Amino acid sequence: MSSHPLRQVIEAADRAISDENLEAVLDFYAEDATLVVKPGLNAVGKEAIRRAFVAILDYFGHSLTVKQGEMVVLEGGGDTALVIMETILEFPGPDGTVASITRQATYVFRKNEVGQWLCVIDNSYGVDLLKEEHHA
Amino acid sequence: MSSHPLRQVIEAADRAISDENLEAVLDFYAEDATLVVKPGLNAVGKEAIRRAFVAILDYFGHSLTVKQGEMVVLEGGGDTALVIMETILEFPGPDGTVASITRQATYVFRKNEVGQWLCVIDNSYGVDLLKEEHHA
């Protein structure tokens, strides 16, 4: 399943994040997309997502690299796809070595009228949103 | 977040499954929806989903009850929503008591032209699809 076109899309998006190319990052999102910044805090719409990425890149000391692990794509009705994937964040650890976080992410994409996949829901926390402390 | 209209939709769908009312169950799905029957096996389209439910109800000895636990709804662009929720399957255990399985499910819904939420991707296995044995 790793040959699904969405793998290349996500690889390119993660590369744009690692390169801090915010214009390129935003091109992967639909206008009214939702990004889970952290559990309980969502950014809705491109302007809010841009501000969230500015904060995220700052938080990681402008040294964040996003990589991809295993991936499963489920295509459903209405040109919609659910992507379940390992997303690996690498950043400088306190001792100068590379620290990493691996998340089991859930992304929803929709194909637009010209056949381009755009991210409509970016939830890198996956089912961890169900943890007691994360919902009201 | 438990007051989202999708909670009532999913409760009604689960009740229809528990009642073995397949016509009612299928009304909750878009025509070209995808149901993950088990990791690695998907049913695509209403007819395949109908056959899958016949097999599922048979597998559980026609005594399956589906209940809902915690739920988080993320709405994104294009009238699309990602639902992350605990889904609880109850069925008779070998000793006559009630056995249960709790899954952390991921469902994608889309709102149709008359404002009705329809399930386009039903993946009750959530991120467990990433487990080594489940993908090629």
Side-chain angles (χ1 to χ4, degrees), chain A residues 59-61 63-67 87-103:
Chain A
Y59 178 82
F60 285 105
S63 302
L64 178 66
T65 302
V66 186
K67 296 182 176 174
T87 294
I88 301 135
L89 309 183
E90 292 184 352
F91 49 93
D95 57 356
T97 59
V98 176
S100 74
I101 297 171
T102 299
R103 294 182 184 158

Side-chain angles (χ1 to χ4, degrees), chain B residues 21-127:
Chain B
N21 183 346
L22 285 191
E23 294 313 309
V25 171
L26 290 169
D27 283 345
F28 292 97
Y29 289 91
E31 278 305 325
D32 44 1
T34 293
L35 165 70
V36 181
V37 181
K38 57 183 183 182
L41 178 65
N42 302 335
V44 179
K46 285 203 182 198
E47 271 315 297
I49 291 172
R50 176 196 302 273
R51 288 193 300 272
F53 271 111
V54 167
I56 289 166
L57 295 173
D58 202 48
Y59 178 82
F60 285 105
H62 298 277
S63 301
L64 178 65
T65 302
V66 186
K67 295 180 177 175
Q68 308 81 36
E70 295 299 341
M71 176 184 190
V72 175
V73 178
L74 299 168
E75 285 201 55
D79 287 328
T80 306
L82 172 62
V83 179
I84 313 274
M85 77 182 295
E86 290 175 325
T87 294
I88 302 135
L89 309 183
E90 292 184 351
F91 49 92
D95 57 358
T97 59
V98 176
S100 75
I101 297 170
T102 299
R103 294 182 184 157
Q104 295 185 309
T106 52
Y107 305 131
V108 180
F109 280 80
R110 290 209 64 222
K111 222 185 265 181
N112 69 8
E113 58 285 350
V114 295
Q116 182 191 12
W117 287 105
L118 292 176
C119 183
V120 292
I121 301 165
D122 179 342
N123 168 32
S124 67
Y125 296 90
V127 299

Side-chain angles (χ1 to χ4, degrees), chain A residues 32 34 70 75 77 110 135, chain B residues 32 34 70 75 77 80 110 135:
Chain A
D32 44 1
T34 293
E70 296 297 341
E75 284 201 55
R110 290 209 65 220
H135 53 82
Chain B
D32 44 1
T34 293
E70 295 299 341
E75 285 201 55
T80 306
R110 290 209 64 222
H135 53 83

